[in-house]
Amino acid sequence: WRILSPVAEAVTIGAWTVTGTEKAAVLGIAPISAILLGMLSSVGGGAIRDVVVLRRVPQIFGGNTLTATCAAASAMVMIVAYRLQHPEAGLVGGTAVGGVLYLVAHWRHWVLPPVDRQEPGAPGKASAASAASAEAADVNTPTQLEES
């Protein structure tokens, strides 16, 4: 299952991306919008699967394989082939490019860097700047207004 699961994920990412991209292109949507819709088709479908079937936080939310990046590459191949009037080549080529890129990213552990998350209320640059600007503005709080 450890080998089959990434392969199935790679094929579905590529296939859903090119399908969504081609559908958008056939409807006359601008190329960049068609690429984004193709990406949304595969990434959104994967997120829904993760939540509904696997009952986990969607993989797209950081620290995982470059799913959206692979979908973008797949969609770009599809758009180029469609514009060259070879949509069948785009379907096959886009699926292959997105799938292979996903497998390489998965096996080589390519991920985007994690977002530096700060605990709410923890001291940091943002909270110190907010406190300084509030003091400088001399904002009247409701208790200060009642005393006046």
Side-chain angles (χ1 to χ4, degrees):
W1 180 250
R2 292 178 59 196
I3 293 174
L4 183 61
S5 178
V7 171
E9 182 76 11
V11 171
T12 56
I13 286 171
W16 282 113
T17 301
V18 296
T19 301
T21 305
E22 183 190 30
K23 181 68 174 175
V26 166
L27 293 173
I29 295 175
I32 190 71
S33 298
I35 289 170
L36 292 173
L37 285 169
M39 290 173 59
L40 183 62
S41 297
S42 67
V43 172
I48 291 170
R49 178 215 50 221
D50 287 348
V51 171
V52 174
V53 177
L54 301 177
R55 300 199 187 284
R56 66 180 182 197
V57 174
Q59 288 183 330
I60 191 67
F61 294 130
N64 295 302
T65 304
L66 302 175
T67 307
T69 306
C70 301
S74 182
M76 286 185 231
V77 170
M78 181 63 220
I79 281 295
V80 168
Y82 184 83
R83 301 278 295 203
L84 295 173
Q85 299 180 354
H86 295 290
E88 297 84 9
L91 289 169
V92 174
T95 301
V97 166
V100 168
L101 185 59
Y102 179 86
L103 288 174
V104 170
H106 179 77
W107 287 326
R108 296 195 48 93
H109 305 288
W110 291 346
V111 296
L112 292 175
V115 175
D116 185 25
R117 297 181 188 205
Q118 186 176 358
E119 293 295 320
K125 293 178 186 173
S127 61
S130 298
S133 65
E135 287 176 17
D138 192 29
V139 178
N140 290 325
T141 60
T143 56
Q144 290 173 334
L145 292 175
E146 291 171 3
E147 293 173 1
S148 308

